[in-house]
Amino acid sequence: MNAAEKIQEERAYFLSVINTFMSYREESHKRIAQREQSLDSLPQHHKKWLSEYIEGLEKLKQCVDKNAEFIPQVLKHAYTMFDNVYSTMEVAQAEEVGTLAEGLDKVQSVFKQLMRDWSSLGASEREQCYQPIIKEIVENFPAETCDRSTIQVLVPGAGLGRLAFEIASRGFRCQGNEFNLFMLIVSFYVLNLCSNVDEYVIYPWIHQYCNNHSIEDQMTSASFPDVKPRPSPDSSFSMTAGDFLEVYTTKEEWDCVATCFFIDCAPNVVQFIETIFEILKPGGLWINLGPLLYHYADVRNEKSIEPSFKVVCDVIQKVGFRMEKCETGVKTRYCQNPFSMVQYEYDSVFFVCRKPTIPATETL
């Protein structure tokens, strides 16, 4: 594929993502309509007994409309993200794309991520998942003995950017990297254009119809952002778009790489480990927290490997890392509705590795 074809392909994908966002309201209402059609097929006395359920569907429509209000504001600024590559496009052009990029589920996932990363309702999940990483970075680079503005921290798989933001807010030179265009578009808006605390209200779980005690639990709302997303003037914070393996090829550039719910996103986790080792400076740290929910394990025609954590640990050391800390059974949740009948919890692993200052072959 030549450069022009690649740009055209990227443009088509970008427009299809825009189209998916724009279709959120209509497609969500269609799903509710399907339930209403199912109701219409029931005997009259069944419908009478389900009057509260019918009223609940009307309430869900209102929540969909509230979620949808946020989308046009985000899309107005989406074209400025890519150095004017798409700046001459009209938002209306997205309607030319006939199919949705990844489906409505991708947009629903963004609303859940907004709850997790940028609402007070997500604070407990962030405490579980982000705080151990932040604590380790702060302890290894104390402000009393080092100039944090010179310490470069990379956060691959940054999502909507909260972990990277928190690290930068502590004075570090931090960069988040994200491949998912749905996340990138929304994180750009939150990080650059949200100006007030609790400026928006969303309903992250209105599309989850199972395991609800009440319609009110399904309609649990979240206000965001819970803080003004502006790092300290003394810090440096940026986000990059693209595949981690393609974007980060410069060796010995980073003082620390922090990964959270990330390494299992690779079809070949060994390649991730090897790349992290190569881009770290000698003496640099890799801090990781998360499960091994290998994302490509059940994807048809995908060449995926799914080694156990024991094997992953062996690979980490064979690549050249020195394991300094390793904890298992770290309780973590991911975008959970706290009021649902079902609560998924991971027994995650947390480890800290260091790249030796002297290559292993020279330490004999």
Side-chain angles (χ1 to χ4, degrees):
M1 183 184 298
N2 59 39
E5 290 172 334
K6 186 173 182 180
I7 290 173
Q8 185 62 27
E9 183 181 82
E10 290 174 353
R11 175 187 182 276
Y13 179 68
F14 177 82
L15 288 175
S16 66
V17 170
I18 297 295
N19 187 46
T20 303
F21 273 116
M22 292 176 66
S23 302
Y24 168 79
R25 182 182 182 278
E26 180 182 355
E27 293 299 318
S28 296
H29 276 286
K30 283 181 181 178
R31 294 192 180 186
I32 296 174
Q34 289 173 355
R35 288 166 170 81
E36 291 175 328
Q37 290 171 5
S38 297
L39 279 165
D40 286 341
S41 68
L42 299 180
Q44 193 60 38
H45 68 287
H46 287 187
K47 286 189 278 188
K48 184 178 179 180
W49 293 340
L50 290 168
S51 60
E52 187 173 337
Y53 175 67
I54 295 170
E55 292 171 4
L57 293 179
E58 290 299 322
K59 292 178 181 179
L60 291 179
K61 291 178 188 178
Q62 296 172 22
C63 293
V64 165
D65 292 344
K66 185 67 176 178
N67 282 355
E69 288 176 8
F70 176 63
I71 292 173
Q73 300 176 64
V74 173
L75 298 186
K76 281 192 299 185
H77 303 276
Y79 299 97
T80 65
M81 294 172 52
F82 299 98
D83 298 324
N84 297 319
V85 172
Y86 306 114
S87 61
T88 59
M89 295 182 189
E90 299 286 340
V91 172
Q93 283 182 286
E95 296 175 355
E96 297 171 4
V97 182
T99 58
L100 303 183
E102 306 269 356
L104 183 60
D105 291 346
K106 289 289 185 180
V107 183
Q108 295 173 4
S109 177
V110 168
F111 286 117
K112 293 178 187 177
Q113 287 289 338
L114 281 167
M115 179 284 305
R116 175 180 168 88
D117 262 17
W118 292 105
S119 80
S120 57
L121 194 58
S124 61
E125 286 193 8
R126 295 196 299 273
E127 180 71 21
Q128 288 179 322
C129 299
Y130 298 165
Q131 197 53 43
I133 294 172
I134 294 168
K135 181 175 181 288
E136 199 67 38
I137 294 172
V138 168
E139 289 179 354
N140 275 274
F141 302 100
E144 298 79 12
T145 58
C146 70
D147 180 1
R148 287 181 175 173
S149 66
T150 67
I151 304 299
Q152 297 195 97
V153 182
L154 175 63
V155 182
L160 295 185
R162 184 61 180 262
L163 176 57
F165 165 81
E166 291 292 346
I167 295 168
S169 297
R170 287 157 175 79
F172 295 95
R173 182 179 294 273
C174 187
Q175 183 171 100
N177 166 247
E178 179 57 49
F179 179 74
N180 185 323
L181 193 50
F182 291 87
M183 296 294 178
L184 282 164
I185 288 171
V186 175
S187 67
F188 178 85
Y189 185 84
V190 173
L191 292 165
N192 293 284
L193 297 160
C194 282
S195 54
N196 299 311
V197 172
D198 292 339
E199 191 171 351
Y200 300 100
V201 176
I202 54 168
Y203 300 87
W205 297 290
I206 54 171
H207 305 284
Q208 292 183 195
Y209 290 91
C210 300
N211 294 304
N212 296 304
H213 287 282
S214 68
I215 190 66
E216 286 73 26
D217 290 344
Q218 189 176 354
M219 292 168 52
T220 298
S221 65
S223 301
F224 74 94
D226 63 326
V227 296
K228 290 185 179 181
R230 300 289 184 273
S232 146
D234 301 327
S235 65
S236 174
F237 177 42
S238 61
M239 290 280 289
T240 63
D243 187 314
F244 167 65
L245 296 174
E246 294 178 3
V247 174
Y248 297 96
T249 57
T250 303
K251 295 186 177 182
E252 300 185 357
E253 182 179 10
W254 299 91
D255 298 285
C256 178
V257 174
T259 53
C260 185
F261 281 70
F262 174 70
I263 62 172
D264 53 2
C265 295
N268 179 2
V269 66
V270 177
Q271 195 173 15
F272 268 15
I273 296 169
E274 205 168 33
T275 298
I276 291 169
F277 185 84
E278 289 174 354
I279 65 176
L280 276 171
K281 297 176 183 177
L285 284 180
W286 173 26
I287 305 167
N288 176 79
L289 188 147
L292 290 177
L293 183 67
Y294 290 108
H295 291 208
Y296 290 93
D298 298 314
V299 178
R300 184 177 296 179
N301 300 323
E302 184 65 52
K303 295 178 180 178
S304 174
I305 59 168
E306 301 86 25
S308 68
F309 181 58
K310 180 180 181 299
V311 173
V312 168
C313 287
D314 290 341
V315 170
I316 287 170
Q317 294 179 71
K318 287 172 181 175
V319 165
F321 278 111
R322 185 172 69 248
M323 188 80 77
E324 294 189 346
K325 291 185 180 180
C326 184
E327 300 175 22
T328 58
V330 179
K331 303 297 183 183
T332 55
R333 295 184 178 187
Y334 198 90
C335 295
Q336 287 290 297
N337 183 342
F339 305 110
S340 172
M341 292 181 188
V342 174
Q343 297 294 321
Y344 293 105
E345 189 173 60
Y346 295 101
D347 281 341
S348 291
V349 297
F350 174 69
F351 59 77
V352 180
C353 300
R354 190 178 299 274
K355 180 176 180 176
T357 54
I358 301 174
T361 54
E362 298 179 20
T363 61
L364 298 177

